Amino acid sequence: MRKLLQDENGLSMFELIGAITIFGLASFLFSAILFSIFRASVLQGQQLELQQTANNLVAQMEGISKIENIYKDAGYRGKFNSDWSEAHIVKILAADKMSELLSIDQGDNPLYISDILDTSNQRASSYHVKDQNIKIKLIQQKNENEVTKTIYATPNYRDTFSIQTSGVILFYKEEIEFSDYYDSSAGLWALEQLLAENEASIVYSRKFVLTYRDDEKASGEVPGNGRW
């Protein structure tokens, strides 16, 4: 009696297992790619947020530096004032908007700044980022005119009436020992060393320079040797 062979369609058990394995690997690789794209998008979005916040901070500080007679009206009298290095036109406030942050204090999020003539802090503006683990720190340093450069990148000895403040805006995590990088007697910061040694904690940084006039020195009321 002739045996009839049945037509066997479909997948065997081994083929099914192989197909499932390949599908699983493909899904894993696809998920990894999607996660990488999502992570890159998040980091890019955060970087843009930090850059925009820094730009807004610099814009407000530049506006403060253009307030007419701000240095004179604040009662500052040239470099012969004992606290010249700490007499900044930009005021950095704590979260309560009542007290000022010291140079070596940790940053804050949000951070408030105003101008030195705003005695009630009514004009204070706040700057914050979404990630509450990130602190914002504004470092200011007054420079002598040997640091101020002409358009030819040479020391600007002829500009005897301007004051230059340079500094950096830091967005960082954890804590940084700012006192290790600040010479309070001279009012000078070791900024490059600070940035280099805390690279792992700093998420983003932005340098800035402000220039404004010392009107009392310009009018001859305060003496000076022309190099500050």
Side-chain angles (χ1 to χ4, degrees):
M1 188 173 180
R2 183 179 296 177
K3 293 183 179 179
L4 297 178
L5 295 178
Q6 294 182 347
D7 185 15
E8 297 182 356
N9 294 322
L11 297 175
S12 68
M13 181 63 70
F14 292 109
E15 291 173 328
L16 182 60
I17 293 174
I20 293 174
T21 302
I22 293 173
F23 179 77
L25 289 173
S27 298
F28 175 78
L29 292 174
F30 184 67
S31 299
I33 292 172
L34 286 180
F35 179 76
S36 297
I37 295 173
F38 173 75
R39 179 178 173 82
S41 177
V42 169
L43 291 175
Q44 185 179 27
Q46 182 185 75
Q47 195 75 357
L48 289 173
E49 180 192 23
L50 300 182
Q51 290 174 353
Q52 188 59 52
T53 302
N55 289 342
N56 293 339
L57 261 166
V58 171
Q60 183 181 357
M61 290 190 292
E62 288 179 342
I64 290 173
S65 70
K66 292 178 173 60
I67 297 176
E68 187 175 0
N69 296 329
I70 183 170
Y71 198 73
K72 177 181 178 180
D73 292 346
Y76 299 152
R77 293 186 58 81
K79 197 176 178 182
F80 290 86
N81 194 5
S82 59
D83 60 349
W84 183 82
S85 63
E86 293 288 347
H88 297 294
I89 59 173
V90 176
K91 183 166 53 173
I92 309 169
L93 303 171
D96 59 7
K97 293 201 299 184
M98 299 297 293
S99 57
E100 292 188 46
L101 292 176
L102 300 177
S103 298
I104 59 174
D105 284 344
Q106 294 296 317
D108 220 335
N109 183 13
L111 183 74
Y112 294 87
I113 71 168
S114 188
D115 62 86
I116 195 64
L117 301 181
D118 182 19
T119 55
S120 61
N121 301 329
Q122 294 298 310
R123 293 192 295 271
S125 296
S126 66
Y127 298 89
H128 70 280
V129 294
K130 295 177 182 177
D131 188 344
Q132 289 300 306
N133 294 318
I134 295 178
K135 303 183 185 73
I136 309 172
K137 172 74 174 177
L138 175 61
I139 294 177
Q140 303 181 86
Q141 173 176 286
K142 277 185 172 177
N143 301 322
E144 296 191 359
N145 263 21
E146 282 84 344
V147 179
T148 308
K149 303 296 183 180
T150 66
I151 60 174
Y152 305 106
T154 56
N156 194 6
Y157 293 143
R158 296 183 63 185
D159 185 0
T160 63
F161 308 134
S162 292
I163 299 172
Q164 183 193 71
T165 293
S166 64
V168 63
I169 304 167
L170 294 179
F171 298 85
Y172 68 99
K173 294 183 177 181
E174 307 299 335
E175 289 194 358
I176 296 176
E177 291 297 331
F178 292 105
S179 58
D180 294 344
Y181 306 96
Y182 183 62
D183 181 356
S184 58
S185 60
L188 297 176
W189 285 89
L191 290 179
E192 296 304 323
Q193 181 183 357
L194 188 158
L195 293 173
E197 294 183 357
N198 296 278
E199 186 176 357
S201 298
I202 296 173
V203 183
Y204 178 75
S205 64
R206 164 75 183 276
K207 295 181 179 179
F208 66 89
V209 175
L210 305 175
T211 303
Y212 45 97
R213 285 173 64 84
D214 183 345
D215 299 280
E216 291 198 8
K217 187 169 188 292
S219 64
E221 297 180 31
V222 178
N225 62 10
R227 292 192 179 188
W228 45 296

